[in-house]
């Protein structure tokens, strides 16, 4: 059975609504053969990453960057899961492992920096973007929930 790891930082009701939508999509009854493992970004481990066949990441956009919790997740797992660094200690393009991922981000005013920062790290991990990012600004409405649901269902279906 394939494993989809959902790593999230959901400190607000908006982020919890998006997480619920992601879990509904990933757990859709029509998708078979996929176990969904959910981890708060502060609790996810390198072993969680290594055991997974695909990933859904959820974060807030904070001061033009991903949440500190998701950054902690990457900081604490990066090298152990095959992340690559160049001679200057910067993230280097990883060898593509065809490990699919999807990303949803919520911000009040802008999500650009958060998206860019996540993509910089997953690029150095060699993960493959398998669905368009879902960027949600302001209030979380039915459309935002539907887009996040579709994102997670897409990643899960690729694994099933």
């Amino acid at each position: 059975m394939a494993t989809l790891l959902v790593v999230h930082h959901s400190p607000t009701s908006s982020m919890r609504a998006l997480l619920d939508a992601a879990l509904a999509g990933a757990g859709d009854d029509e998708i078979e053969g996929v176990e969904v493992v959910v981890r708060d970004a502060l609790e996810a481990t390198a072993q969680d990453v290594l055991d997974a066949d695909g990933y859904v990441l959820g974060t807030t956009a904070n001061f033009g960057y991903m949440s500190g919790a998701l950054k902690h997740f990457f900081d604490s797992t990066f090298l152990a899961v095959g992340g690559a660094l160049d001679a200057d200690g910067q993230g280097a393009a990883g060898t593509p492992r065809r490990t699919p991922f999807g990303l949803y981000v919520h911000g009040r005013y802008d999500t650009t920096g958060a998206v860019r920062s996540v993509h910089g790290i997953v690029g150095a991990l060699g993960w493959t973007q398998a669905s368009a990012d879902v960027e949600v600004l302001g209030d979380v409405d039915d459309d935002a929930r539907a887009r996040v649901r579709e994102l997670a269902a897409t990643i899960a279906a690729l694994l099933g």
Side-chain angles (χ1 to χ4, degrees):
M1 177 172 284
T3 300
L4 174 62
L5 178 62
V6 178
V7 178
H8 68 96
H9 179 61
S10 303
T12 64
S13 59
S14 294
M15 285 303 294
R16 285 188 296 277
L18 294 176
L19 173 62
D20 289 344
L23 296 179
D28 189 292
D29 291 339
E30 293 186 27
I31 301 169
E32 297 180 2
V34 177
E35 176 187 10
V36 179
V37 175
V38 183
R39 295 285 187 264
D40 183 279
L42 293 173
E43 297 172 1
T45 66
Q47 194 61 53
D48 292 326
V49 176
L50 294 170
D51 290 344
D53 302 294
Y55 314 97
V56 171
L57 307 171
T59 185
T60 53
N62 298 335
F63 305 108
Y65 203 71
M66 72 181 91
S67 69
L70 192 63
K71 178 69 166 70
H72 169 80
F73 161 71
F74 286 127
D75 286 345
S76 64
T77 63
F78 184 81
L79 293 176
V81 302
L85 298 175
D86 65 19
D88 295 331
Q90 300 296 312
T95 303
R97 295 175 17 206
R98 296 183 144 313
T99 309
F101 83 93
L103 171 67
Y104 64 91
V105 180
H106 178 262
R108 276 288 143 207
Y109 308 104
D110 185 40
T111 57
T112 306
V115 170
R116 182 176 47 248
S117 64
V118 170
H119 278 271
I121 294 171
V122 297
L125 289 169
W127 297 359
T128 302
Q129 185 173 6
S131 185
D133 299 324
V134 175
E135 299 178 53
V136 180
L137 292 176
D139 294 333
V140 172
D141 58 14
D142 289 341
D143 176 65
R145 284 188 288 274
R147 290 185 296 133
V148 169
R149 179 184 167 94
E150 181 178 335
L151 169 121
T154 298
I155 304 302
L158 288 171
L159 301 178

